[in-house]
Amino acid sequence: MAATALPPLPSQFKSIQHHLRTAQELDKREPVVAYYCRLYAMQTGMKIDSKTPECRKFLSKLMDQLEAMKKQFGDNEAITQDIVGSAHVENYALKMFLYADNEDRAGQFHKNMIKSFYTASLLIDVLTVFGELSEENAQHRKYARWKAAYIHNCLKNGETPQPGPIGMEGESFADVEREEAESSSLHSGTTQPTSSSTYEGNNKATSNYTGIHIPPGAHAPANTPAEVPHNTGVTSNTIQPSPQNIPLVDPSLYSAQSAGEVRLTPEDFARAQKYCKYAGSALQYEDVSTAVQNLQKALKLLITGRE
């Protein structure tokens, strides 16, 4: 992306530095996600401080980057339509979450999966540009941040983490945040991949996650976003995708008939369109189960007027 480099990050914007860093890392392989990371940073920065000179200067340059990206990818529906953009970001965040979660459950603890867990939580932050988070996404964000901190602290202390959802006390993110701050090169406009991710020092998760819900069809794709761009065709020699559990087609859809009395509202059409967009985005990541489920929801809504 040809855009003016950002000036040094004002201290007031510390909370968005990692979203901007993620944007830089995704510029080449996921420009749509990178765009929304910057949009989230822009909106959040405006709320924090849009008046002091250094903050205004930073936000102005960030706006230039956003305008340049919008011009470059202006024909992409994921940029021009919120429904498509939301589905794209959500699916990419879920892909990263599932990769880290499957590695965790398999007892494969390493820095790349820690980074994937936390990056997934940052991308769920980004989803707030489209509106309020669903309860499921809010839960995933909290769990991913806690897991990343827990595993990082275990490895740092020479301990073996326990895989999968467990009830644990809050983990401190201070040490990891300090490591990331020392390696950050955000102000230079370039990003060096880091060995670990970062966490907000005051963000602790204390809930018991024994009942954490993983969406149907969850699996770790062979092309994990933390290592290989999804469109390269390169597969991993060590990580193979688990078989997908394809949901059965709802039998009631076979016998359902379109009743002439059913009148769909504009909101119904919007929801049906959303489900179709989600299905299309899921197919980009070869997630057949999620695609089938969303298509069934759209079909049921269009036929019966009910979800």
Side-chain angles (χ1 to χ4, degrees), residues 235-266:
T235 57
S236 169
N237 292 326
T238 58
I239 303 173
Q240 297 299 326
S242 304
Q244 298 190 48
N245 296 319
I246 308 303
L248 295 174
V249 176
D250 186 351
S252 65
L253 292 177
Y254 291 119
S255 56
Q257 296 183 0
S258 179
E261 298 179 356
V262 173
R263 294 185 179 181
L264 299 176
T265 66

Side-chain angles (χ1 to χ4, degrees), residues 65-120:
Q65 286 193 352
L66 283 167
E67 290 299 325
M69 294 190 76
K70 198 167 186 178
K71 182 177 181 181
Q72 183 178 358
F73 304 106
D75 58 345
N76 190 320
E77 285 190 342
I79 298 292
T80 60
Q81 297 186 31
D82 283 355
I83 290 178
V84 187
S86 176
H88 190 94
V89 175
E90 185 173 20
N91 275 297
Y92 192 76
L94 181 60
K95 184 182 179 185
M96 298 204 77
F97 180 93
L98 294 178
Y99 162 68
D101 185 64
N102 280 9
E103 287 289 273
D104 172 46
R105 290 168 188 264
Q108 301 295 323
F109 305 110
H110 50 85
K111 292 176 180 179
N112 194 47
M113 63 93 76
I114 295 174
K115 183 177 179 65
S116 292
F117 258 137
Y118 194 67
T119 300

Side-chain angles (χ1 to χ4, degrees), residues 277-289:
K277 296 296 185 182
Y278 279 5
S281 188
L283 290 176
Q284 293 182 11
Y285 298 109
E286 302 177 3
D287 188 347
V288 178
S289 176

Side-chain angles (χ1 to χ4, degrees), residues 104-245:
D104 172 46
R105 290 168 188 264
Q108 301 295 323
F109 305 110
H110 50 85
K111 292 176 180 179
N112 194 47
M113 63 93 76
I114 295 174
K115 183 177 179 65
S116 292
F117 258 137
Y118 194 67
T119 300
S121 77
L122 295 177
L123 295 181
I124 296 175
D125 286 340
V126 172
L127 287 174
T128 60
V129 304
F130 304 105
E132 186 176 355
L133 290 180
S134 67
E135 182 178 349
E136 182 179 76
N137 281 333
Q139 185 185 44
H140 283 157
R141 177 176 62 179
K142 192 174 183 181
Y143 177 77
R145 280 187 176 149
W146 167 75
K147 255 299 182 180
Y150 165 67
I151 295 170
H152 174 273
N153 292 337
C154 283
L155 297 182
K156 180 180 178 181
N157 297 328
E159 302 170 356
T160 301
Q162 296 185 48
I166 49 177
M168 295 292 294
E169 295 180 356
E171 298 292 332
S172 172
F173 303 151
D175 289 345
V176 204
E177 184 180 42
R178 185 162 50 250
E179 291 177 14
E180 178 75 2
E182 292 173 355
S183 64
S184 177
S185 57
L186 176 63
H187 66 276
S188 67
T190 60
T191 299
Q192 298 298 325
T194 57
S195 60
S196 62
S197 288
T198 57
Y199 319 89
E200 297 174 17
N202 62 352
N203 199 347
K204 295 183 179 181
T206 57
S207 300
N208 185 313
Y209 288 99
T210 304
I212 187 74
H213 172 68
I214 304 300
H219 67 287
N223 298 338
T224 64
E227 296 177 336
V228 182
H230 73 271
N231 58 353
T232 61
V234 180
T235 57
S236 169
N237 292 326
T238 58
I239 303 173
Q240 297 299 326
S242 304
Q244 298 190 48
N245 296 319

